[in-house]
Amino acid sequence: MADLKGINLAMQTPFTASGAIDYATFEALIDKYVAAGVHGLVLGAGTGQHPYLTEAECNRLYETGAKRIGGKCNVICQTSALNMDEVIRRSQHAESIGANALMILPPYLEGPSDEDGIFSFYTEIDAAVGIDIVGYNIPQATGISVSPRLFDRLSGLKNFNYIKDSAGDLTVHQEYLQTKGGVLNGADPTTVYALMAGTRGVIWGAANYMPGEAVQLYELVAAKKFGEALALWQRMLPSLLYIWRAPYTQSVLKAAQWRGYGTGNIRKPLQPMSFEQEAGLRDALKPLFEPSA
């Protein structure tokens, strides 16, 4: 079982202005994020615009990323797809190039939503791979909620060892923590509270624009310096609340660009932020540029 504790940065996929993957910037970003001390990089995350990447692009991205990372931190690859054979094919490829874990959405978009159907879906994938599977609870996007009871059942599979919980419900999150599975927080505005509650780590999109602060927050909570952690959190929180309600990926990428991480470009069908949205984001980011008290 891979140890996915700490800050697993849900990494952006940098694009050129025309929408092509900028592999040179991708590799440079990996170096920056590793230097910031992140514990893992999630390649092809939602923040990395996975739905708008082809299978061939994902394969090349993961090959390039795993080689560049070179064991300096954990590599988690999203291998979600609608077609069952494609999920398995993507997953086996990611395993073959050195991924430590796979992040896989439940069978969304009119797939089985009952617990037995979801369990069967993950059981088939579990039998086809030999590395950790990170399930994904993001009902606001998939329409499927993974109940704590189902998560506990899934955790009995050989490789299903984690769930990324992006729902933002701290009650459910703490119920997950009562099971035998590993829990990773994925809801930006609840991060510090999930860490204090005992979650193993986070898969965090906002870490794209504040990797150093994200690592520092984790280290403060791990050292039980809760007062210092909450003081840092107050500087992070305005932007986290903003991006959670604004167009998420566009906001993260724009904030990252402004702070020296990436190009800020998106791929269609995503649309650029409006002038008003960018102004709101700039205002929300201001506390990060202020010296700590």
Side-chain angles (χ1 to χ4, degrees), residues 106 135-140 144-147 163-167 172 176:
Y136 203 161
N137 185 51
I138 184 167
Q140 62 269 37
I144 298 173
S145 293
V146 179
S147 70
I163 193 164
K164 177 189 177 185
D165 179 22
S166 296
V172 172
Y176 282 152

Side-chain angles (χ1 to χ4, degrees), residues 150-284:
L150 175 57
F151 175 50
D152 195 41
R153 183 182 173 192
L154 287 164
S155 298
L157 298 174
K158 179 182 62 173
N159 299 304
F160 195 106
N161 293 317
Y162 291 97
I163 193 164
K164 177 189 177 185
D165 179 22
S166 296
D169 185 330
L170 272 173
T171 299
V172 172
H173 195 83
Q174 290 176 93
E175 289 174 332
Y176 282 152
L177 289 169
Q178 305 307 305
T179 72
K180 56 182 175 288
V183 184
L184 304 172
N185 184 65
D188 301 62
T190 64
T191 302
V192 72
Y193 309 109
L195 288 171
M196 288 179 176
T199 197
R200 185 82 54 91
V202 299
I203 294 180
W204 201 356
N208 278 282
Y209 65 82
M210 49 180 175
E213 291 89 345
V215 171
Q216 184 183 6
L217 183 76
Y218 172 77
E219 291 175 344
L220 287 170
V221 174
K224 301 190 184 307
K225 296 180 179 180
F226 299 134
E228 293 178 53
L230 288 171
L232 173 59
W233 181 248
Q234 289 307 308
R235 294 173 54 219
M236 304 168 85
L237 184 59
S239 67
L240 295 174
L241 292 174
Y242 186 86
I243 66 173
W244 198 249
R245 298 300 188 195
Y248 183 86
T249 298
Q250 296 95 314
S251 299
V252 169
L253 297 188
K254 186 56 67 175
Q257 180 191 20
W258 289 340
R259 300 199 82 204
Y261 300 97
T263 65
N265 294 322
I266 53 175
R267 177 175 274 188
K268 296 176 182 178
L270 294 184
Q271 295 296 302
M273 298 177 73
S274 69
F275 176 82
E276 291 77 15
Q277 288 169 336
E278 286 196 7
L281 178 61
R282 283 190 185 276
D283 190 58

